[in-house]
Amino acid sequence: GLGDNPTLLFVGRIQPLKGLDVAVQTLAALNMPEAQLVVVGGASGTEGANEMQRVASLIAEHHLEQRVHFYEPQPHHLLSTF
């Protein structure tokens, strides 16, 4: 259900060391308004909630709210559907 638009995929725990911010910055730098970012995962660890807030601010700063889609963590056998 994501359509045929270019799609970046981030799968993993949302923590500072995992680099979700890099994926958001990459989407912004692509200069492709039809591109989107799909994030499969959730906040984890002691810094997870803070990282989610930081990433949300970065998404808003780049006006990407309509192009970044979050999905809850998925079992490994379902990840290939993304």
Side-chain angles (χ1 to χ4, degrees):
L2 295 173
D4 293 330
N5 293 337
T7 301
L8 301 173
L9 176 63
F10 176 93
V11 177
R13 298 182 308 251
I14 299 175
Q15 300 174 326
L17 64 98
K18 297 294 184 176
L20 178 53
D21 59 331
V22 174
V24 171
Q25 291 170 346
T26 300
L27 179 64
L30 280 176
N31 197 25
M32 296 176 70
E34 71 279 6
Q36 59 188 342
L37 170 62
V38 172
V39 179
V40 181
S44 178
T46 58
E47 293 299 315
N50 290 338
E51 184 65 2
M52 277 295 295
Q53 290 178 343
R54 190 174 78 82
V55 168
S57 294
L58 189 59
I59 290 168
E61 175 185 327
H62 290 289
H63 309 287
L64 299 172
E65 298 89 64
Q66 301 302 313
R67 296 172 49 203
V68 179
H69 312 285
F70 287 89
Y71 292 87
E72 294 293 320
Q74 300 291 312
H76 284 216
H77 71 277
L78 294 179
L79 291 177
S80 64
T81 62
F82 287 90

